[in-house]
Each structure stands twice: as C-alpha cells, then as structure tokens.
Amino acid sequence: MKMTNELWGQVRQQLQETVGANNYSTWIEPLEFSDLRDGVATFLVPTHFIGDWVRRNFADQIKHLMHSAATPVSRIEFSLAKRAPVAQPKASKQIETAQDKTELPGAPLDRRLTFDRFVVGKPNELAHAAAKRVGEGGTVTFNPLFLYGGVGLGKTHLMHAIAHDLSISRPDLNVVYLSAEQFMYRFVQALRERKMMDFKEVFRSVDVLMVDDVQFIAGKDSTQEEFFHTFNALVDMNKQIIISGDRAPGEIKNLEERIKSRLQSGLVVDLHPTDYELRLGILQQKVDKYRTENSDLVLADGVLEFLAHRISTNVRVLEGALTRLFAFASLVGREITLELAQDCLADILRASARKITIDEIQRKVSEHYNIRLSDMIGPRRMRTLARPRQVAMYLSKQLTSRSLPEIGRSFGGRDHTTVMHGVRKIEELKMLDSQISDDLELLRRALEA
Ligand code: ADP
Ligand code: MG
C-alpha cells in the first residue's frame, strides 16, 4: 500500500501525543513526507542534523506507527529539502489537534503551560496581569477578556495558565478551552447529526469559556452566528469568556460588526512582540529548567545573548532553537560555542533574519525626531532635518545590505559621497554625544524588534 500524505498526517498526529509538544514542533513538524518505495519511507528535512536526530530518536516510533496503520516500513531515509522549509511551526496547533472524543466540548490542556513558566516582561506584562486576575476566579469584572498578538507570543500559554489556575482556585467551575476551529468543527458536526439542541445546551452550561484564535471563524457565517449566540447567552449569565485573536477585534477582516463590538466590550489587551530582554529572560529560564535535569550542559558565554538578538519575536521559534541546541549539546558532549550554535541553528537564524528596509528606517527616524517623512527625503538642509537624515543614512548602512549609492537614491537621489559624509558624521558624533548614541541604540532596537 502506498503511503499517502494523509497517512503521514495520521501518524504525525499520533506522534504528537507520544513525543510531546516540544519535540513534536522541533523534530516532527519540519519533516516533509516525500515518498514510500519498497518499504523505504523518505522524508525531506531542512538540515542534516534534524534528519540524524529523528533517525536516532524517533525512527522506531515512526516505523511502529506506520506498521499499525497497515503500512510496514523497513527503513526511513532523509534527504535535504532543496528550499529548506523553516523549522518554524505554523499556528498553535500542537495542543489543539488532539481531539477528545468525550462529551465535553473542550480541548485537553498542556500541563506545562502555567503561569510559573511564563516569563513576564514589558511586552506582555499587561496581558499577564489580566490573565492572572481572571485565573483567580473572583467576580467577573471584564467580560470578555480579549488577548491578541502575533504568532508565538504566548496567547495560548496564558489561556492554558488561566485554566490551570482556575482548576485550583475554582474547582467548582466548568472551564472549557478550545480553539475557534474546534468550535466550528463541533458546530458543523452538531448540524450534521441534528444535535443542535445538545450543542447549545453543552455550551451554555459552561462557566468559563475560552476560545483560542477567534480569527479563524472570520468569513464563516453560520459559525459566527452560532458563536455570537453562545457568547451572548454566556455573558447574560455573567459567565467569564476569554478570547484570543491574532489582531485587535476591530481589525479582524470578515468578522461581523456586532461580534467585533461584543469582543471590544470587555478588556482588550495585546501581547507586543518580544524585545531583547524578554527573549533573553525566556532563554535563561528554559536553560535553567533544562540544567536541573541535565547538569552537564555547558554553553559558552554569549550564546544566549546571541540567540536573543538574532531570533525573531516568535517565542516558539526561540524554544525550537533551544531544544535543538540541547539535543546537539548532548550529542557532541562538549561546550557549545557560539560557532557550534550558529552551525547547528543555521536554518533558523537565516529564516529569522528580518530584513529591515530603508523605508522603515526613514519612517522610524522621522517619527523619532518628529519631522515629516517628506523632509527626510526632500532637499531642505537645515540642521533640524539634516541630522535626522544622517542618522537614517547611518542606520541604513548598518542595518541593511544596501550600498552607498543605493542608499543615496532612497534619500531623494543624493550622491553616494553625501551618504558617506553623513555616515561618518554620525560615527563621529556617536562617540562625543551621548544623546545621539542613545538615539541610535533606541532606534536600532525598535527596528530590530
Ligand atoms: P500563541 O498562542 O500566541 O501563538 P503560544 O502561547 O503557543 O503562542 O506560545 C508559543 C510558545 O512560546 C509556547 O511554547 C509558550 O510556552 C512559549 N512562550 C510564549 N511566551 C512565553 C513567555 N513569556 N514565557 C515563557 N514561554 C513563553
Ligand atoms: Mg495560540
């Protein structure tokens, strides 16, 4: 029997349960099924290292699961994907895809996603505080709590943490967590099986309802409709609702106006992209945790700082990098130097290298110095405009790979010697003028965030 992608989909899902969410997203998710011939299953991998690791650690499980799915496989091979798919998992599917078969409408909780393990920093402190409050299970003060932010910033983590806290603070409450996708799935299933009454009853008996990634139901009209009714019924009964989305309610396209306004009627808090300090804090926490079980991990100075600098804002990518690094460390059995880390994580680092554009730099710098963008690019030469312009030129040289003539063209067609002069001027001032060096540092961080 030919192994289809569908079968691999099944096997993957089972692996998710056996290997754990972290292993799954680090090792299994990057595998792309290629083909199955003569009992040899071939997968495409982004790096040799991942292939080696999977072969050592998961090959038997994979073979076993395939065997159980009536597709015996004698060997597993890996070849390098040409256009390396990034080991960057998509949405937060890892916990949610495991569908429970019981009557309860919720998805299982990941026991590791607790407040204890949530590192708090400037970008997420408000969301964290609000989530903590809801987790206390006191009187419902903001309803709904709407958490939003980009992928991998901790929305799902906070929701699970709330559920864990509630299970202690209010064991009497019926807390249900599920993704909007699962909500739809259950709704459609109820329609198909003509069990809408049951569906309504079950959802209306919930005390705390958490719906993750609500943007998923945008454009799905009957699901939205049902969601709206469920929502209203629960709010009317003063039950707590917690919703997450990838952007602010008002900005979700194809979401009915009345739902948007309902979502805005409680407390709306956003998780900002992580900054360097938060990333470093998260890395340190994970390393400490890992060290308690594997005392022999030795990381050279600067490795974590380097990762915090270079890896994008998505915490899941950061974790994936660390998991791989830990595995690598245990494999090579010696100190992980910066160079080894760079090697082992080359694909992730490459994918994370955010391309900063001159345009962004010009915008940020104009904003910072409160001048018009048109003046940044225009011909006027007074000091109040020339200095910010030079700062922008300097940052363009530092943070992009553009040449001096290219930079000149982006600044209203100036000559490359003008750019060079500007860059030198700022280099000089940086040493002498602490205001300028502070500005540069601030701008660089804002652009790299
Ligand atoms: P989202 O739902 O916003 O896409 P998740 O909650 O799934 O993101 O977070 C992605 C991963 O990053 C999870 O493994 C989570 O535990 C971790 N994570 C996110 N933010 C933090 C944080 N502040 N401290 C520790 N781990 C975090
Ligand atoms: Mg999520």
Side-chain angles (χ1 to χ4, degrees):
M1 175 179 152
K2 261 234 139 76
M3 183 163 98
T4 61
N5 269 313
E6 201 176 323
L7 173 63
W8 173 234
Q10 257 177 47
V11 170
R12 260 162 66 119
Q13 192 144 337
Q14 286 165 322
L15 280 168
Q16 195 163 17
E17 280 154 38
T18 54
V19 303
N22 233 349
N23 275 328
Y24 179 82
S25 64
T26 313
W27 308 111
I28 307 298
E29 209 152 44
L31 303 182
E32 197 184 316
F33 174 67
S34 170
D35 64 1
L36 174 67
R37 222 171 295 152
D38 305 326
V40 180
T42 308
F43 294 89
L44 301 179
V45 286
T47 64
H48 285 302
F49 177 65
I50 291 185
D52 280 348
W53 188 259
V54 173
R55 192 194 328 276
R56 276 166 206 261
N57 294 280
F58 305 117
D60 288 342
Q61 286 184 59
I62 294 175
K63 281 195 274 187
H64 173 75
L65 288 171
M66 288 183 176
H67 192 85
S68 312
T71 310
V73 165
S74 56
R75 199 149 43 89
I76 293 183
E77 301 239 305
F78 299 91
S79 59
L80 212 54
K82 285 202 193 64
R83 192 180 42 77
V86 183
Q88 175 167 344
K90 282 145 266 136
S92 51
K93 290 288 154 51
Q94 53 212 56
I95 317 132
E96 299 154 1
T97 36
Q99 265 141 23
D100 55 342
K101 300 278 187 287
T102 66
E103 285 301 306
L104 266 175
L109 296 173
D110 186 326
R111 65 186 165 73
R112 290 162 314 167
L113 300 180
T114 57
F115 282 119
D116 272 1
R117 298 199 183 198
F118 191 83
V119 181
V120 184
K122 269 244 150 42
N124 61 21
E125 63 181 342
L126 218 58
H128 172 263
K132 262 295 223 206
R133 173 64 61 80
V134 171
E136 289 166 6
T139 35
V140 175
T141 43
F142 23 80
N143 213 8
L145 169 61
F146 188 90
L147 299 169
Y148 76 91
V151 173
L153 298 183
K155 301 181 292 294
T156 299
H157 190 137
L158 285 177
M159 290 176 108
H160 281 230
I162 293 172
H164 290 307
D165 267 19
L166 283 173
S167 73
I168 293 161
S169 63
R170 295 295 306 273
D172 55 314
L173 297 184
N174 183 10
V175 178
V176 164
Y177 164 87
L178 80 176
S179 64
E181 188 176 1
Q182 284 168 324
F183 181 85
M184 182 181 87
Y185 172 80
R186 286 178 183 283
F187 169 64
V188 170
Q189 192 180 30
L191 281 178
R192 199 171 48 223
E193 295 172 0
R194 300 182 199 286
K195 287 186 178 159
M196 269 318 287
M197 289 308 285
D198 293 356
F199 178 90
K200 285 182 190 294
E201 197 177 316
V202 167
F203 273 97
R204 280 159 185 61
S205 71
V206 164
D207 296 309
V208 178
L209 178 66
M210 307 195 203
V211 178
D212 206 351
D213 292 318
V214 74
Q215 72 278 358
F216 182 84
I217 61 164
K220 310 204 165 70
D221 292 341
S222 48
T223 303
Q224 283 194 46
E225 175 88 19
E226 189 55 38
F227 175 76
F228 183 68
H229 293 313
T230 307
F231 187 103
N232 287 340
L234 290 172
V235 170
D236 286 347
M237 293 187 281
N238 203 26
K239 308 289 181 155
Q240 178 73 57
I241 297 181
I242 302 140
I243 310 277
S244 82
D246 65 353
R247 62 199 70 194
E251 283 162 22
I252 302 178
K253 285 204 191 71
N254 299 319
L255 193 67
E256 286 182 37
E257 281 308 322
R258 55 182 188 164
I259 297 186
K260 287 185 188 174
S261 76
R262 268 305 204 171
L263 294 177
Q264 280 159 342
S265 64
L267 179 65
V268 176
V269 276
D270 57 344
L271 289 138
H272 296 277
T274 59
D275 55 17
Y276 172 78
E277 284 80 10
L278 180 58
R279 286 195 291 275
L280 190 60
I282 291 172
L283 288 168
Q284 259 150 2
Q285 186 219 41
K286 309 237 174 238
V287 167
D288 289 348
K289 190 135 235 121
Y290 182 82
R291 281 218 177 99
T292 59
E293 288 147 29
N294 307 268
S295 53
D296 50 346
L297 175 72
V298 190
L299 292 177
D301 282 350
V303 168
L304 294 185
E305 286 77 3
F306 171 77
L307 295 182
H309 245 302
R310 287 286 305 276
I311 295 188
S312 71
T313 65
N314 181 337
V315 180
R316 195 171 300 120
V317 177
L318 211 58
E319 287 181 334
L322 261 192
T323 307
R324 196 195 293 176
L325 205 63
F326 293 160
F328 186 65
S330 77
L331 211 63
V332 302
R334 61 188 151 98
E335 184 188 46
I336 297 300
T337 60
L338 191 55
E339 210 176 19
L340 282 175
Q342 278 170 315
D343 250 20
C344 157
L345 302 173
D347 58 324
I348 297 179
L349 292 171
R350 221 177 309 121
S352 288
R354 206 174 71 76
K355 301 268 182 299
I356 297 170
T357 63
I358 294 181
D359 195 55
E360 273 174 89
I361 293 173
Q362 290 172 334
R363 268 169 216 287
K364 264 271 175 323
V365 175
S366 319
E367 246 169 58
H368 182 81
Y369 290 106
N370 215 359
I371 66 170
R372 278 199 297 266
L373 187 61
S374 54
D375 278 336
M376 162 77 60
I377 297 160
R380 300 209 288 162
R381 289 163 65 170
M382 63 257 262
R383 168 74 68 90
T384 48
L385 302 178
R387 195 64 88 225
R389 189 182 292 137
Q390 289 171 332
V391 166
M393 287 175 174
Y394 170 84
L395 289 169
S396 300
K397 186 77 198 104
Q398 293 286 312
L399 303 177
T400 76
S401 53
R402 301 281 162 206
S403 65
L404 293 176
E406 282 174 314
I407 295 173
R409 278 197 289 281
S410 302
F411 281 80
R414 288 180 159 77
D415 193 70
H416 78 276
T417 53
T418 310
V419 180
M420 192 156 58
H421 171 75
V423 171
R424 292 224 176 107
K425 185 77 202 167
I426 298 301
E427 272 167 357
E428 222 176 273
L429 284 175
K430 200 171 75 160
M431 305 299 179
L432 306 170
D433 183 338
S434 65
Q435 181 61 53
I436 289 267
S437 71
D438 287 353
D439 287 354
L440 289 174
E441 182 59 18
L442 203 80
L443 285 162
R444 188 183 57 74
R445 277 183 193 217
L447 285 160
E448 281 178 344

